[in-house]
Amino acid sequence: MAGNLVIVESPAKAKTIGKFLGKGYKITASMGHVRDLPKSQMGVDIDNNFEPKYITIRGKGDLIAKLKKEAKNAEKIYLATDPDREGEAISWHLANILNISEDDRCRITFNEITKNAVKNAIKAPRKIDLNLVDAQQARRVLDRIVGYKISPLLWKKVKKGLSAGRVQSVATRLISDREDEIENFNPEEYWTIDAKLNQIKGKTPFNAKFHGNVEGKIELKDEARVNEIIKSIDGKKYVVTKVKKSEKKRTPAPPFITSTMQQEASRKLGFTTKKTMMVAQQLYEGVDIKGHGAMGLVTYIRTDSTRVSNEAQNETREYIKEKYGEKFVPQETRIYKNKSASQDAHESIRPTYVSMEPDQIKDSLSNEQYKLYKLIWERFVASQMSSAVYDTLSVDINAGDYIFKSTGSKVKFPGFMSVYIEGRDDEGENSETNIPVLEEGEELDLKKLDPKQHFTQPPPRYTEATLVKALEEKGIGRPSTYAPTITTILARGYVEKDKKFLFPTELGKIVTDIMKNNFKDIVDVQFTAQMENKLDAVEVGGKRWVEIMKEFYKDFAVVLNEAEESIGQVEIPVEVSDVICEKCGKNMVVKMGRFGKFLACPGFPECWNSKPIVEEAGVNCPKCGGKVVIRKTKKGRKYFSCENRADCGFMTWDKPTDEKCPKCDSFLVSHASGKKETIKCSKEGCDYVKPKE
């Protein structure tokens, strides 16, 4: 016998675990799923209790043969796939392929890949949890039925290549509905009056905002009311009538769950949800750290729980005490409340070793790994620290019959803020004013009275961060679905991203309208959230997944037949460009392909001409005088090249500016290296660097 065989999903995870288990164990990787539903057909026998028809994934034959050979020679087999529904399903498929009995205690899980966690898991193997498997199967089968029944209808009625999905269609609807809100928004006028004030002998001016009068707040709806107030207080003294001093505490944000990690990585690092999950998986599975070998740096990254183990909390409190001092350790250990929909299957996302500071291992990490690990580490450490304490000051100032208010605050004790402060989506919101210490009865000097007209603004478009937040709050999808959902709706051309904002395409609006008019339950937020809860009930053995399928399909089949009859042929409006086809002289039109938008001749199939859509950078090539255009690599990195790149060859990673080089008259570029930015000449051989101002 060859000892014990441990099967994980990835080589990186295998390498990390192998370090802990020693010579008696052989660690191998399944490279993810080994079986799945076929792509060429629905693969679900609806008439036979929705029985899924699994097949071996193409290209996995040799791998499975190798796994069978190793399993045959093993004394004991451990299935150590990820500790979630999908990981349980992968283990179940492996058990079927390797003829492992359902009663065999072959399944091991660990929330973190550390020596203690792995060794403890090996000591306590369990049976495969068929409730978890059924919960994953239920989602897979439901998504397959929705996708493979509605998508062909969209192909037939709209265009080929479209798709519908249980979560993706709701996400697209949220973005489309938000766009409708923006387009139909009617701005309303309102005014503010700011008084710039100073103490009689003071040197530091501060602002006070118009509030109202003794009867309460006054809303300023038009200029006439503002002028009336300004006229009334003209020449009046500004006197402090009320001073309230207090102390305010600010508590830290809880440690990350999947959705909050994705949101914060988007805000602070500019990561897409897809990139965040990819890098987080690397940190979980293990990275080679100099002097330590392969190490799992963070706990499992698909979770909706803020729970922290007692061991990790105690270790972190000791670390904070030693690193920052006794005052930074709260008297009571912080316990954060989970949301009602949380499954609490795993801990929050935290560093596996809090003493492993980001800067200590920076040289062993890629730039992206370092940034995300630092974010996770700082968020977690801060979550276990003392509250920040502010001294606050609130002041009422009378001018005639009217009242102005000013509030200010000063940090008295930084607490957790010395490590980390949570990002915000409303970055434009004004912060509190710094104001001097004032006394009741004190007269102030008016420097300037500033009335301003404003208009209410429509709700902002979703970003990836705010869309994830909305999906989570509404109960749509689960931690593992957010990233692939956003990736899918972008790839399908239903949604586009402009800078960081998501907006629906014409195609996205058309498909959403079809879904709303014909499959209202599929894109109904409340219905989808209720379905998620039913599927979660399967996980704890509260409901049989086949019964859920029967309940759903009974109504779905009727709606599907009605939609087939009622949906007419849909014409997608063609976007005509001002680019002339050089082969036949027609205006080229914008088309959507698998790699995004491109220009095509409307004379197809007689004329096959097509070309990529390029955005001009607004400068001319320093080599040949052609236009510099913006392009992207296959991995999405932006670069700048000459439109005649085949003949000219000019290209730069640096962003062009509209400034000219005083030496050679070529355009200058902005070169960023870390936080340092240099403006230099774009022409090869020219050494001009713009002096810092």
Side-chain angles (χ1 to χ4, degrees), residues 298-535:
V298 301
T299 52
Y300 193 54
I301 45 93
R302 292 178 181 85
T303 178
D304 58 5
S305 171
T306 56
R307 178 169 53 84
V308 180
S309 70
N310 291 334
E311 182 184 357
Q313 284 181 322
N314 293 334
E315 179 190 345
T316 306
R317 288 171 67 85
E318 284 300 314
Y319 172 83
I320 294 168
K321 180 179 177 182
E322 185 179 331
K323 179 81 175 179
Y324 299 98
E326 187 88 47
K327 290 192 300 182
F328 288 83
V329 183
Q331 287 187 346
E332 293 185 6
T333 303
R334 292 197 181 279
I335 297 174
Y336 295 93
K337 189 176 180 181
N338 286 327
K339 295 186 177 179
S340 58
S342 170
Q343 296 299 293
D344 198 32
H346 311 292
E347 280 190 69
S348 60
I349 302 170
R350 60 170 176 81
T352 52
Y353 306 96
V354 73
S355 58
M356 191 72 72
E357 296 176 9
D359 286 340
Q360 290 177 350
I361 58 172
K362 185 175 182 179
D363 291 344
S364 299
L365 304 176
S366 69
N367 188 42
E368 291 171 347
Q369 289 171 343
Y370 167 72
K371 286 180 178 179
L372 188 59
Y373 178 67
K374 187 171 187 285
L375 193 70
I376 293 169
W377 187 92
E378 289 177 345
R379 171 82 166 220
F380 175 69
V381 172
S383 77
Q384 304 303 304
M385 294 177 76
S386 299
S387 298
V389 181
Y390 289 84
D391 282 331
T392 64
L393 185 65
S394 177
V395 181
D396 285 6
I397 300 159
N398 276 35
D401 295 329
Y402 295 102
I403 299 170
F404 287 75
K405 285 181 177 287
S406 185
T407 58
S409 62
K410 184 179 180 182
V411 177
K412 183 178 182 180
F413 171 65
F416 74 92
M417 291 170 56
S418 57
V419 174
Y420 172 90
I421 302 174
E422 186 179 24
R424 307 167 63 132
D425 292 315
D426 54 347
E427 293 174 0
E429 190 172 309
N430 291 331
S431 59
E432 292 177 311
T433 310
N434 289 321
I435 58 176
V437 177
L438 302 170
E439 301 293 336
E440 289 185 10
E442 183 176 353
E443 189 175 328
L444 302 172
D445 184 22
L446 175 67
K447 295 293 183 183
K448 183 182 179 183
L449 203 59
D450 187 16
K452 284 184 180 177
Q453 183 188 39
H454 308 271
F455 291 92
T456 55
Q457 296 298 309
R461 289 187 176 93
Y462 286 109
T463 63
E464 288 199 22
T466 56
L467 180 61
V468 166
K469 185 178 181 181
L471 291 171
E472 182 194 26
E473 288 176 346
K474 297 175 188 298
I476 308 300
R478 288 298 180 258
S480 61
T481 64
Y482 302 136
T485 295
I486 293 172
T487 299
T488 298
I489 61 178
L490 286 167
R492 291 283 183 267
Y494 297 156
V495 171
E496 288 185 345
K497 189 190 287 189
D498 182 11
K499 295 179 181 176
K500 65 177 182 177
F501 294 104
L502 302 170
F503 61 94
T505 61
E506 192 65 37
L507 178 62
K509 287 184 175 183
I510 289 170
V511 171
T512 296
D513 285 343
I514 290 173
M515 296 294 292
K516 284 162 72 173
N517 293 331
N518 297 277
F519 301 98
K520 62 180 182 180
D521 280 351
I522 300 298
V523 290
D524 181 78
V525 170
Q526 189 174 358
F527 176 86
T528 307
Q530 289 171 350
M531 181 59 73
E532 290 286 3
N533 292 333
K534 288 180 182 179
L535 295 171

Side-chain angles (χ1 to χ4, degrees), residues 577 579-589 599-611:
S577 76
V579 179
I580 304 299
C581 175
E582 62 270 23
K583 293 186 178 180
C584 69
K586 295 177 181 176
N587 280 69
M588 302 188 82
V589 296
L599 292 175
C601 182
F604 179 85
E606 289 78 18
C607 180
W608 286 66
N609 191 24
S610 66
K611 58 178 67 179

Side-chain angles (χ1 to χ4, degrees), residues 145-429:
I145 290 172
V146 171
Y148 275 60
K149 288 291 187 180
I150 299 180
S151 297
L153 191 58
L154 295 177
W155 284 43
K156 182 179 177 182
K157 303 292 186 177
V158 186
K159 63 174 283 192
K160 285 188 175 182
L162 301 184
S163 70
R166 186 175 57 88
V167 179
Q168 75 174 58
S169 295
V170 181
T172 305
R173 177 184 180 165
L174 290 177
I175 295 167
S176 183
D177 286 354
R178 176 59 58 87
E179 196 69 19
D180 290 342
E181 286 182 67
I182 294 169
E183 290 174 0
N184 298 325
F185 181 79
N186 292 315
E188 294 183 5
E189 180 184 12
Y190 71 97
W191 286 72
T192 58
I193 307 173
D194 286 355
K196 191 173 185 179
L197 301 165
N198 208 350
Q199 289 176 291
I200 299 300
K201 295 183 179 180
K203 295 181 179 179
T204 307
F206 65 95
N207 283 329
K209 293 184 177 297
F210 176 81
H211 174 74
N213 56 24
V214 290
E215 295 178 2
K217 187 173 177 62
I218 296 175
E219 300 290 342
L220 304 176
K221 297 289 188 181
D222 53 58
E223 188 175 10
R225 185 72 171 108
V226 170
N227 289 337
E228 179 187 320
I229 291 170
I230 291 175
K231 184 178 180 181
S232 172
I233 60 178
D234 184 35
K236 296 289 194 296
K237 293 179 180 180
Y238 286 75
V239 180
V240 177
T241 55
K242 184 179 178 182
V243 177
K244 183 181 178 182
K245 298 177 182 178
S246 60
E247 191 176 87
K248 182 179 74 174
K249 288 187 176 181
R250 179 176 175 181
T251 56
F256 281 137
I257 59 176
T258 304
S259 62
T260 53
M261 177 180 69
Q262 291 172 341
Q263 291 168 50
E264 196 74 338
S266 174
R267 294 186 197 106
K268 290 195 169 184
L269 307 180
F271 283 11
T272 62
T273 52
K274 182 179 179 181
K275 177 185 279 190
T276 299
M277 296 310 290
M278 179 187 71
V279 177
Q281 187 74 21
Q282 293 167 2
L283 296 174
Y284 165 70
E285 291 183 343
V287 181
D288 270 320
I289 304 298
K290 292 174 185 175
H292 297 276
M295 293 180 67
L297 294 175
V298 301
T299 52
Y300 193 54
I301 45 93
R302 292 178 181 85
T303 178
D304 58 5
S305 171
T306 56
R307 178 169 53 84
V308 180
S309 70
N310 291 334
E311 182 184 357
Q313 284 181 322
N314 293 334
E315 179 190 345
T316 306
R317 288 171 67 85
E318 284 300 314
Y319 172 83
I320 294 168
K321 180 179 177 182
E322 185 179 331
K323 179 81 175 179
Y324 299 98
E326 187 88 47
K327 290 192 300 182
F328 288 83
V329 183
Q331 287 187 346
E332 293 185 6
T333 303
R334 292 197 181 279
I335 297 174
Y336 295 93
K337 189 176 180 181
N338 286 327
K339 295 186 177 179
S340 58
S342 170
Q343 296 299 293
D344 198 32
H346 311 292
E347 280 190 69
S348 60
I349 302 170
R350 60 170 176 81
T352 52
Y353 306 96
V354 73
S355 58
M356 191 72 72
E357 296 176 9
D359 286 340
Q360 290 177 350
I361 58 172
K362 185 175 182 179
D363 291 344
S364 299
L365 304 176
S366 69
N367 188 42
E368 291 171 347
Q369 289 171 343
Y370 167 72
K371 286 180 178 179
L372 188 59
Y373 178 67
K374 187 171 187 285
L375 193 70
I376 293 169
W377 187 92
E378 289 177 345
R379 171 82 166 220
F380 175 69
V381 172
S383 77
Q384 304 303 304
M385 294 177 76
S386 299
S387 298
V389 181
Y390 289 84
D391 282 331
T392 64
L393 185 65
S394 177
V395 181
D396 285 6
I397 300 159
N398 276 35
D401 295 329
Y402 295 102
I403 299 170
F404 287 75
K405 285 181 177 287
S406 185
T407 58
S409 62
K410 184 179 180 182
V411 177
K412 183 178 182 180
F413 171 65
F416 74 92
M417 291 170 56
S418 57
V419 174
Y420 172 90
I421 302 174
E422 186 179 24
R424 307 167 63 132
D425 292 315
D426 54 347
E427 293 174 0
E429 190 172 309

